[in-house]
Amino acid sequence: MTEYAKPIKRRKINSDAAWGYAFIAAALLIFVMFTAYPVVSALIISFQEYKPLGSKFIGFDNYTETFKDSLFWKAAVNTIIYTLLTVPVSLFLSFAVSVLILPFKKRMQTAFKAVYYLPAVASGVALSVVWLWIYDPMPEGIFNKITAFFGMGTHNWLGSSTYAMFSLVLMAWLSSHGTSIIIYLAALLGIDGSYYEAAELDGANFFQKLWYIVVPCLKPTTLFLLVTGVIGSFQVFQNAYLMTGGGPDNATTMVGLLIFNNAFKYFEFGKAAAQSLILAAIIAGISVIQFKFLGKDVEY
C-alpha cells in the first residue's frame, strides 16, 4: 500500500507576532551594526598589519609583540592597582551613603539621590576640568591649600609620578557614586521590614541588624555592582587621558589609554585591536571568577 507524504502545516504569523519579530529585528540590527560587526572587525584586524589601502596578514605577531611590550605590562599593573584601590572603596562609600539616606522620608531621599546622581549627568570633560583646577600645582591651588593647612606641604599632584596615581584614585573616591547609591537604596527599600522587627525583638542593635540582615540581603546587588565596577575600572580611559595623559613616566597609563594611543596616535590599528581583545578576555575571565567564588550563595 502506497503511503503518501503528509502535507507540512505552515504556521501563520498573526499581526501581534509580526510586530514582535519586527521589534526584535530592529534590536538585532542595531546589535549587529554596533556590537557584533566591530568585534568581528577587531578580531580580523588583530591578525593584520592594518593599512587603509591593503592590509597584510601577519598571524599572531600583534599578540606576540603585545606580550613582549613592557609598556603593556606596566599599563596592566597600573590598571590593576587602580581597580583594587577604587572599586572596594567606592562600593563601601555608596553603601554607607545609602544606609544614611534610608531613614529619611521619600521626598528627602529623592532630593539626596538627585544631588548624588548629578555628577553622572554632567560631562566627564567638565568634571575633569574642575579636578584639574582643584589639583592646581601652584600654592594657591585648592588641594594644596588643604594639605598645607594640615602641614603636609604642597605638591605637583598630577605632574609627579609619586602622586599622580593617588590623584586619580582620590578623584574616583570622591565622585561618580550616584548610580551605585540609587541601586543600593532601591535594594535597601526592598528588604522586608519584618526582618528588622524580629531582630529588634531579639535585642539586636544597629550594627547587628546591618551585618546579619542588610549585608546578606544585599549580596546580589553588591555582586552586580562589584562586577560592573571592575569592568568599568579596567576600561578606564577618560580620567587618565584628560588629567595626566598617562604620565608622568607612564605612571598613570592604563590599558584603555594605551590602546587609544596605539590606534589613534601611532596608527598601529592591528596592535591596538589585539590589545583590546586581550583586555576583553581578561575582563571576561575576572567576571567569571567573581561569579564562581562570590555568587555561590547568591539568590536572584
Side-chain angles (χ1 to χ4, degrees), residues 30-50:
I30 293 173
F31 172 79
V32 170
M33 288 178 61
F34 297 103
T35 303
Y37 174 72
V39 170
V40 174
S41 298
L43 180 63
I44 295 172
I45 292 172
S46 69
F47 295 107
Q48 298 176 340
E49 184 181 342
Y50 182 82

mmCIF file with all atom_site columns, all heavy atoms in Angstrom, residues 30-50:
data_model
loop_
_atom_site.group_PDB
_atom_site.id
_atom_site.type_symbol
_atom_site.label_atom_id
_atom_site.label_alt_id
_atom_site.label_comp_id
_atom_site.label_asym_id
_atom_site.label_entity_id
_atom_site.label_seq_id
_atom_site.pdbx_PDB_ins_code
_atom_site.Cartn_x
_atom_site.Cartn_y
_atom_site.Cartn_z
_atom_site.occupancy
_atom_site.B_iso_or_equiv
_atom_site.pdbx_formal_charge
_atom_site.auth_seq_id
_atom_site.auth_comp_id
_atom_site.auth_asym_id
_atom_site.auth_atom_id
_atom_site.pdbx_PDB_model_num
ATOM 1   N N   . ILE A 1 30 ? 20.598 46.668 15.251 1.00 0.00 ? 30 ILE A N   1
ATOM 2   C CA  . ILE A 1 30 ? 21.446 47.600 15.995 1.00 0.00 ? 30 ILE A CA  1
ATOM 3   C C   . ILE A 1 30 ? 22.608 46.858 16.655 1.00 0.00 ? 30 ILE A C   1
ATOM 4   O O   . ILE A 1 30 ? 23.754 47.316 16.642 1.00 0.00 ? 30 ILE A O   1
ATOM 5   C CB  . ILE A 1 30 ? 20.603 48.353 17.049 1.00 0.00 ? 30 ILE A CB  1
ATOM 6   C CG1 . ILE A 1 30 ? 19.602 49.277 16.345 1.00 0.00 ? 30 ILE A CG1 1
ATOM 7   C CG2 . ILE A 1 30 ? 21.502 49.165 17.977 1.00 0.00 ? 30 ILE A CG2 1
ATOM 8   C CD1 . ILE A 1 30 ? 18.612 49.925 17.275 1.00 0.00 ? 30 ILE A CD1 1
ATOM 9   N N   . PHE A 1 31 ? 22.303 45.674 17.237 1.00 0.00 ? 31 PHE A N   1
ATOM 10  C CA  . PHE A 1 31 ? 23.354 44.877 17.873 1.00 0.00 ? 31 PHE A CA  1
ATOM 11  C C   . PHE A 1 31 ? 24.413 44.450 16.858 1.00 0.00 ? 31 PHE A C   1
ATOM 12  O O   . PHE A 1 31 ? 25.620 44.533 17.121 1.00 0.00 ? 31 PHE A O   1
ATOM 13  C CB  . PHE A 1 31 ? 22.736 43.639 18.537 1.00 0.00 ? 31 PHE A CB  1
ATOM 14  C CG  . PHE A 1 31 ? 23.740 42.661 19.050 1.00 0.00 ? 31 PHE A CG  1
ATOM 15  C CD1 . PHE A 1 31 ? 24.393 42.873 20.257 1.00 0.00 ? 31 PHE A CD1 1
ATOM 16  C CD2 . PHE A 1 31 ? 24.053 41.522 18.328 1.00 0.00 ? 31 PHE A CD2 1
ATOM 17  C CE1 . PHE A 1 31 ? 25.334 41.980 20.735 1.00 0.00 ? 31 PHE A CE1 1
ATOM 18  C CE2 . PHE A 1 31 ? 24.993 40.611 18.793 1.00 0.00 ? 31 PHE A CE2 1
ATOM 19  C CZ  . PHE A 1 31 ? 25.636 40.842 20.004 1.00 0.00 ? 31 PHE A CZ  1
ATOM 20  N N   . VAL A 1 32 ? 23.969 43.994 15.684 1.00 0.00 ? 32 VAL A N   1
ATOM 21  C CA  . VAL A 1 32 ? 24.912 43.542 14.653 1.00 0.00 ? 32 VAL A CA  1
ATOM 22  C C   . VAL A 1 32 ? 25.771 44.696 14.166 1.00 0.00 ? 32 VAL A C   1
ATOM 23  O O   . VAL A 1 32 ? 26.993 44.567 14.010 1.00 0.00 ? 32 VAL A O   1
ATOM 24  C CB  . VAL A 1 32 ? 24.148 42.888 13.482 1.00 0.00 ? 32 VAL A CB  1
ATOM 25  C CG1 . VAL A 1 32 ? 25.088 42.639 12.299 1.00 0.00 ? 32 VAL A CG1 1
ATOM 26  C CG2 . VAL A 1 32 ? 23.520 41.576 13.928 1.00 0.00 ? 32 VAL A CG2 1
ATOM 27  N N   . MET A 1 33 ? 25.152 45.859 13.946 1.00 0.00 ? 33 MET A N   1
ATOM 28  C CA  . MET A 1 33 ? 25.876 47.005 13.386 1.00 0.00 ? 33 MET A CA  1
ATOM 29  C C   . MET A 1 33 ? 26.879 47.600 14.370 1.00 0.00 ? 33 MET A C   1
ATOM 30  O O   . MET A 1 33 ? 28.010 47.935 13.984 1.00 0.00 ? 33 MET A O   1
ATOM 31  C CB  . MET A 1 33 ? 24.875 48.084 12.948 1.00 0.00 ? 33 MET A CB  1
ATOM 32  C CG  . MET A 1 33 ? 24.075 47.735 11.715 1.00 0.00 ? 33 MET A CG  1
ATOM 33  S SD  . MET A 1 33 ? 22.882 49.029 11.305 1.00 0.00 ? 33 MET A SD  1
ATOM 34  C CE  . MET A 1 33 ? 23.961 50.426 11.029 1.00 0.00 ? 33 MET A CE  1
ATOM 35  N N   . PHE A 1 34 ? 26.478 47.736 15.638 1.00 0.00 ? 34 PHE A N   1
ATOM 36  C CA  . PHE A 1 34 ? 27.291 48.500 16.580 1.00 0.00 ? 34 PHE A CA  1
ATOM 37  C C   . PHE A 1 34 ? 28.009 47.653 17.626 1.00 0.00 ? 34 PHE A C   1
ATOM 38  O O   . PHE A 1 34 ? 28.778 48.188 18.418 1.00 0.00 ? 34 PHE A O   1
ATOM 39  C CB  . PHE A 1 34 ? 26.420 49.537 17.289 1.00 0.00 ? 34 PHE A CB  1
ATOM 40  C CG  . PHE A 1 34 ? 25.829 50.564 16.360 1.00 0.00 ? 34 PHE A CG  1
ATOM 41  C CD1 . PHE A 1 34 ? 24.505 50.489 15.985 1.00 0.00 ? 34 PHE A CD1 1
ATOM 42  C CD2 . PHE A 1 34 ? 26.621 51.574 15.848 1.00 0.00 ? 34 PHE A CD2 1
ATOM 43  C CE1 . PHE A 1 34 ? 23.956 51.432 15.119 1.00 0.00 ? 34 PHE A CE1 1
ATOM 44  C CE2 . PHE A 1 34 ? 26.084 52.512 14.981 1.00 0.00 ? 34 PHE A CE2 1
ATOM 45  C CZ  . PHE A 1 34 ? 24.751 52.448 14.608 1.00 0.00 ? 34 PHE A CZ  1
ATOM 46  N N   . THR A 1 35 ? 27.764 46.339 17.653 1.00 0.00 ? 35 THR A N   1
ATOM 47  C CA  . THR A 1 35 ? 28.471 45.468 18.603 1.00 0.00 ? 35 THR A CA  1
ATOM 48  C C   . THR A 1 35 ? 29.149 44.303 17.909 1.00 0.00 ? 35 THR A C   1
ATOM 49  O O   . THR A 1 35 ? 30.371 44.147 17.981 1.00 0.00 ? 35 THR A O   1
ATOM 50  C CB  . THR A 1 35 ? 27.491 44.942 19.676 1.00 0.00 ? 35 THR A CB  1
ATOM 51  O OG1 . THR A 1 35 ? 26.875 46.042 20.341 1.00 0.00 ? 35 THR A OG1 1
ATOM 52  C CG2 . THR A 1 35 ? 28.232 44.090 20.705 1.00 0.00 ? 35 THR A CG2 1
ATOM 53  N N   . ALA A 1 36 ? 28.351 43.467 17.227 1.00 0.00 ? 36 ALA A N   1
ATOM 54  C CA  . ALA A 1 36 ? 28.917 42.258 16.613 1.00 0.00 ? 36 ALA A CA  1
ATOM 55  C C   . ALA A 1 36 ? 29.911 42.600 15.503 1.00 0.00 ? 36 ALA A C   1
ATOM 56  O O   . ALA A 1 36 ? 31.026 42.048 15.471 1.00 0.00 ? 36 ALA A O   1
ATOM 57  C CB  . ALA A 1 36 ? 27.794 41.377 16.066 1.00 0.00 ? 36 ALA A CB  1
ATOM 58  N N   . TYR A 1 37 ? 29.529 43.507 14.615 1.00 0.00 ? 37 TYR A N   1
ATOM 59  C CA  . TYR A 1 37 ? 30.426 43.849 13.499 1.00 0.00 ? 37 TYR A CA  1
ATOM 60  C C   . TYR A 1 37 ? 31.747 44.457 13.972 1.00 0.00 ? 37 TYR A C   1
ATOM 61  O O   . TYR A 1 37 ? 32.817 44.055 13.510 1.00 0.00 ? 37 TYR A O   1
ATOM 62  C CB  . TYR A 1 37 ? 29.716 44.795 12.528 1.00 0.00 ? 37 TYR A CB  1
ATOM 63  C CG  . TYR A 1 37 ? 30.609 45.313 11.429 1.00 0.00 ? 37 TYR A CG  1
ATOM 64  C CD1 . TYR A 1 37 ? 31.026 44.473 10.387 1.00 0.00 ? 37 TYR A CD1 1
ATOM 65  C CD2 . TYR A 1 37 ? 31.062 46.628 11.435 1.00 0.00 ? 37 TYR A CD2 1
ATOM 66  C CE1 . TYR A 1 37 ? 31.866 44.942 9.383  1.00 0.00 ? 37 TYR A CE1 1
ATOM 67  C CE2 . TYR A 1 37 ? 31.896 47.100 10.438 1.00 0.00 ? 37 TYR A CE2 1
ATOM 68  C CZ  . TYR A 1 37 ? 32.289 46.258 9.417  1.00 0.00 ? 37 TYR A CZ  1
ATOM 69  O OH  . TYR A 1 37 ? 33.130 46.719 8.432  1.00 0.00 ? 37 TYR A OH  1
ATOM 70  N N   . PRO A 1 38 ? 31.742 45.437 14.903 1.00 0.00 ? 38 PRO A N   1
ATOM 71  C CA  . PRO A 1 38 ? 33.031 45.962 15.396 1.00 0.00 ? 38 PRO A CA  1
ATOM 72  C C   . PRO A 1 38 ? 33.898 44.900 16.061 1.00 0.00 ? 38 PRO A C   1
ATOM 73  O O   . PRO A 1 38 ? 35.119 44.917 15.910 1.00 0.00 ? 38 PRO A O   1
ATOM 74  C CB  . PRO A 1 38 ? 32.615 47.044 16.403 1.00 0.00 ? 38 PRO A CB  1
ATOM 75  C CG  . PRO A 1 38 ? 31.261 47.468 15.955 1.00 0.00 ? 38 PRO A CG  1
ATOM 76  C CD  . PRO A 1 38 ? 30.612 46.231 15.442 1.00 0.00 ? 38 PRO A CD  1
ATOM 77  N N   . VAL A 1 39 ? 33.282 43.970 16.811 1.00 0.00 ? 39 VAL A N   1
ATOM 78  C CA  . VAL A 1 39 ? 34.069 42.929 17.476 1.00 0.00 ? 39 VAL A CA  1
ATOM 79  C C   . VAL A 1 39 ? 34.711 42.005 16.447 1.00 0.00 ? 39 VAL A C   1
ATOM 80  O O   . VAL A 1 39 ? 35.906 41.676 16.545 1.00 0.00 ? 39 VAL A O   1
ATOM 81  C CB  . VAL A 1 39 ? 33.181 42.129 18.450 1.00 0.00 ? 39 VAL A CB  1
ATOM 82  C CG1 . VAL A 1 39 ? 33.929 40.886 18.955 1.00 0.00 ? 39 VAL A CG1 1
ATOM 83  C CG2 . VAL A 1 39 ? 32.770 42.989 19.629 1.00 0.00 ? 39 VAL A CG2 1
ATOM 84  N N   . VAL A 1 40 ? 33.929 41.579 15.468 1.00 0.00 ? 40 VAL A N   1
ATOM 85  C CA  . VAL A 1 40 ? 34.470 40.704 14.417 1.00 0.00 ? 40 VAL A CA  1
ATOM 86  C C   . VAL A 1 40 ? 35.551 41.437 13.623 1.00 0.00 ? 40 VAL A C   1
ATOM 87  O O   . VAL A 1 40 ? 36.602 40.860 13.296 1.00 0.00 ? 40 VAL A O   1
ATOM 88  C CB  . VAL A 1 40 ? 33.340 40.220 13.487 1.00 0.00 ? 40 VAL A CB  1
ATOM 89  C CG1 . VAL A 1 40 ? 33.918 39.442 12.300 1.00 0.00 ? 40 VAL A CG1 1
ATOM 90  C CG2 . VAL A 1 40 ? 32.359 39.341 14.254 1.00 0.00 ? 40 VAL A CG2 1
ATOM 91  N N   . SER A 1 41 ? 35.324 42.717 13.328 1.00 0.00 ? 41 SER A N   1
ATOM 92  C CA  . SER A 1 41 ? 36.331 43.509 12.604 1.00 0.00 ? 41 SER A CA  1
ATOM 93  C C   . SER A 1 41 ? 37.620 43.633 13.406 1.00 0.00 ? 41 SER A C   1
ATOM 94  O O   . SER A 1 41 ? 38.722 43.511 12.849 1.00 0.00 ? 41 SER A O   1
ATOM 95  C CB  . SER A 1 41 ? 35.778 44.902 12.294 1.00 0.00 ? 41 SER A CB  1
ATOM 96  O OG  . SER A 1 41 ? 34.656 44.833 11.463 1.00 0.00 ? 41 SER A OG  1
ATOM 97  N N   . ALA A 1 42 ? 37.496 43.866 14.718 1.00 0.00 ? 42 ALA A N   1
ATOM 98  C CA  . ALA A 1 42 ? 38.683 43.957 15.579 1.00 0.00 ? 42 ALA A CA  1
ATOM 99  C C   . ALA A 1 42 ? 39.438 42.637 15.590 1.00 0.00 ? 42 ALA A C   1
ATOM 100 O O   . ALA A 1 42 ? 40.681 42.620 15.579 1.00 0.00 ? 42 ALA A O   1
ATOM 101 C CB  . ALA A 1 42 ? 38.277 44.351 16.990 1.00 0.00 ? 42 ALA A CB  1
ATOM 102 N N   . LEU A 1 43 ? 38.706 41.521 15.616 1.00 0.00 ? 43 LEU A N   1
ATOM 103 C CA  . LEU A 1 43 ? 39.355 40.208 15.597 1.00 0.00 ? 43 LEU A CA  1
ATOM 104 C C   . LEU A 1 43 ? 40.139 40.007 14.303 1.00 0.00 ? 43 LEU A C   1
ATOM 105 O O   . LEU A 1 43 ? 41.277 39.524 14.318 1.00 0.00 ? 43 LEU A O   1
ATOM 106 C CB  . LEU A 1 43 ? 38.300 39.113 15.756 1.00 0.00 ? 43 LEU A CB  1
ATOM 107 C CG  . LEU A 1 43 ? 38.809 37.672 15.746 1.00 0.00 ? 43 LEU A CG  1
ATOM 108 C CD1 . LEU A 1 43 ? 39.746 37.436 16.926 1.00 0.00 ? 43 LEU A CD1 1
ATOM 109 C CD2 . LEU A 1 43 ? 37.646 36.689 15.790 1.00 0.00 ? 43 LEU A CD2 1
ATOM 110 N N   . ILE A 1 44 ? 39.559 40.400 13.181 1.00 0.00 ? 44 ILE A N   1
ATOM 111 C CA  . ILE A 1 44 ? 40.243 40.258 11.892 1.00 0.00 ? 44 ILE A CA  1
ATOM 112 C C   . ILE A 1 44 ? 41.455 41.183 11.819 1.00 0.00 ? 44 ILE A C   1
ATOM 113 O O   . ILE A 1 44 ? 42.550 40.780 11.405 1.00 0.00 ? 44 ILE A O   1
ATOM 114 C CB  . ILE A 1 44 ? 39.255 40.554 10.739 1.00 0.00 ? 44 ILE A CB  1
ATOM 115 C CG1 . ILE A 1 44 ? 38.139 39.506 10.717 1.00 0.00 ? 44 ILE A CG1 1
ATOM 116 C CG2 . ILE A 1 44 ? 39.989 40.578 9.393  1.00 0.00 ? 44 ILE A CG2 1
ATOM 117 C CD1 . ILE A 1 44 ? 37.018 39.823 9.746  1.00 0.00 ? 44 ILE A CD1 1
ATOM 118 N N   . ILE A 1 45 ? 41.267 42.427 12.242 1.00 0.00 ? 45 ILE A N   1
ATOM 119 C CA  . ILE A 1 45 ? 42.365 43.407 12.183 1.00 0.00 ? 45 ILE A CA  1
ATOM 120 C C   . ILE A 1 45 ? 43.524 43.005 13.092 1.00 0.00 ? 45 ILE A C   1
ATOM 121 O O   . ILE A 1 45 ? 44.688 43.294 12.792 1.00 0.00 ? 45 ILE A O   1
ATOM 122 C CB  . ILE A 1 45 ? 41.838 44.805 12.567 1.00 0.00 ? 45 ILE A CB  1
ATOM 123 C CG1 . ILE A 1 45 ? 40.873 45.321 11.496 1.00 0.00 ? 45 ILE A CG1 1
ATOM 124 C CG2 . ILE A 1 45 ? 42.976 45.812 12.757 1.00 0.00 ? 45 ILE A CG2 1
ATOM 125 C CD1 . ILE A 1 45 ? 40.156 46.600 11.882 1.00 0.00 ? 45 ILE A CD1 1
ATOM 126 N N   . SER A 1 46 ? 43.225 42.313 14.197 1.00 0.00 ? 46 SER A N   1
ATOM 127 C CA  . SER A 1 46 ? 44.284 41.939 15.137 1.00 0.00 ? 46 SER A CA  1
ATOM 128 C C   . SER A 1 46 ? 45.284 40.971 14.524 1.00 0.00 ? 46 SER A C   1
ATOM 129 O O   . SER A 1 46 ? 46.400 40.821 15.042 1.00 0.00 ? 46 SER A O   1
ATOM 130 C CB  . SER A 1 46 ? 43.672 41.317 16.398 1.00 0.00 ? 46 SER A CB  1
ATOM 131 O OG  . SER A 1 46 ? 43.098 40.051 16.125 1.00 0.00 ? 46 SER A OG  1
ATOM 132 N N   . PHE A 1 47 ? 44.915 40.315 13.431 1.00 0.00 ? 47 PHE A N   1
ATOM 133 C CA  . PHE A 1 47 ? 45.834 39.392 12.746 1.00 0.00 ? 47 PHE A CA  1
ATOM 134 C C   . PHE A 1 47 ? 46.470 40.037 11.520 1.00 0.00 ? 47 PHE A C   1
ATOM 135 O O   . PHE A 1 47 ? 47.049 39.344 10.686 1.00 0.00 ? 47 PHE A O   1
ATOM 136 C CB  . PHE A 1 47 ? 45.091 38.117 12.318 1.00 0.00 ? 47 PHE A CB  1
ATOM 137 C CG  . PHE A 1 47 ? 44.589 37.291 13.466 1.00 0.00 ? 47 PHE A CG  1
ATOM 138 C CD1 . PHE A 1 47 ? 43.244 37.257 13.766 1.00 0.00 ? 47 PHE A CD1 1
ATOM 139 C CD2 . PHE A 1 47 ? 45.478 36.570 14.248 1.00 0.00 ? 47 PHE A CD2 1
ATOM 140 C CE1 . PHE A 1 47 ? 42.783 36.508 14.834 1.00 0.00 ? 47 PHE A CE1 1
ATOM 141 C CE2 . PHE A 1 47 ? 45.020 35.818 15.314 1.00 0.00 ? 47 PHE A CE2 1
ATOM 142 C CZ  . PHE A 1 47 ? 43.672 35.788 15.615 1.00 0.00 ? 47 PHE A CZ  1
ATOM 143 N N   . GLN A 1 48 ? 46.350 41.350 11.423 1.00 0.00 ? 48 GLN A N   1
ATOM 144 C CA  . GLN A 1 48 ? 46.844 42.050 10.246 1.00 0.00 ? 48 GLN A CA  1
ATOM 145 C C   . GLN A 1 48 ? 47.766 43.198 10.621 1.00 0.00 ? 48 GLN A C   1
ATOM 146 O O   . GLN A 1 48 ? 47.697 43.728 11.736 1.00 0.00 ? 48 GLN A O   1
ATOM 147 C CB  . GLN A 1 48 ? 45.677 42.617 9.417  1.00 0.00 ? 48 GLN A CB  1
ATOM 148 C CG  . GLN A 1 48 ? 44.717 41.593 8.868  1.00 0.00 ? 48 GLN A CG  1
ATOM 149 C CD  . GLN A 1 48 ? 43.554 42.236 8.140  1.00 0.00 ? 48 GLN A CD  1
ATOM 150 O OE1 . GLN A 1 48 ? 43.256 43.408 8.347  1.00 0.00 ? 48 GLN A OE1 1
ATOM 151 N NE2 . GLN A 1 48 ? 42.897 41.474 7.276  1.00 0.00 ? 48 GLN A NE2 1
ATOM 152 N N   . GLU A 1 49 ? 48.612 43.558 9.690  1.00 0.00 ? 49 GLU A N   1
ATOM 153 C CA  . GLU A 1 49 ? 49.292 44.851 9.745  1.00 0.00 ? 49 GLU A CA  1
ATOM 154 C C   . GLU A 1 49 ? 48.381 45.796 8.973  1.00 0.00 ? 49 GLU A C   1
ATOM 155 O O   . GLU A 1 49 ? 48.487 45.924 7.756  1.00 0.00 ? 49 GLU A O   1
ATOM 156 C CB  . GLU A 1 49 ? 50.679 44.775 9.110  1.00 0.00 ? 49 GLU A CB  1
ATOM 157 C CG  . GLU A 1 49 ? 51.474 46.067 9.219  1.00 0.00 ? 49 GLU A CG  1
ATOM 158 C CD  . GLU A 1 49 ? 52.838 45.976 8.553  1.00 0.00 ? 49 GLU A CD  1
ATOM 159 O OE1 . GLU A 1 49 ? 53.311 44.848 8.304  1.00 0.00 ? 49 GLU A OE1 1
ATOM 160 O OE2 . GLU A 1 49 ? 53.413 47.039 8.268  1.00 0.00 ? 49 GLU A OE2 1
ATOM 161 N N   . TYR A 1 50 ? 47.489 46.426 9.700  1.00 0.00 ? 50 TYR A N   1
ATOM 162 C CA  . TYR A 1 50 ? 46.358 47.106 9.070  1.00 0.00 ? 50 TYR A CA  1
ATOM 163 C C   . TYR A 1 50 ? 46.794 48.407 8.419  1.00 0.00 ? 50 TYR A C   1
ATOM 164 O O   . TYR A 1 50 ? 47.496 49.218 9.011  1.00 0.00 ? 50 TYR A O   1
ATOM 165 C CB  . TYR A 1 50 ? 45.266 47.385 10.106 1.00 0.00 ? 50 TYR A CB  1
ATOM 166 C CG  . TYR A 1 50 ? 44.047 48.051 9.516  1.00 0.00 ? 50 TYR A CG  1
ATOM 167 C CD1 . TYR A 1 50 ? 43.077 47.294 8.872  1.00 0.00 ? 50 TYR A CD1 1
ATOM 168 C CD2 . TYR A 1 50 ? 43.881 49.429 9.608  1.00 0.00 ? 50 TYR A CD2 1
ATOM 169 C CE1 . TYR A 1 50 ? 41.953 47.897 8.331  1.00 0.00 ? 50 TYR A CE1 1
ATOM 170 C CE2 . TYR A 1 50 ? 42.761 50.042 9.065  1.00 0.00 ? 50 TYR A CE2 1
ATOM 171 C CZ  . TYR A 1 50 ? 41.801 49.272 8.426  1.00 0.00 ? 50 TYR A CZ  1
ATOM 172 O OH  . TYR A 1 50 ? 40.706 49.888 7.882  1.00 0.00 ? 50 TYR A OH  1
#
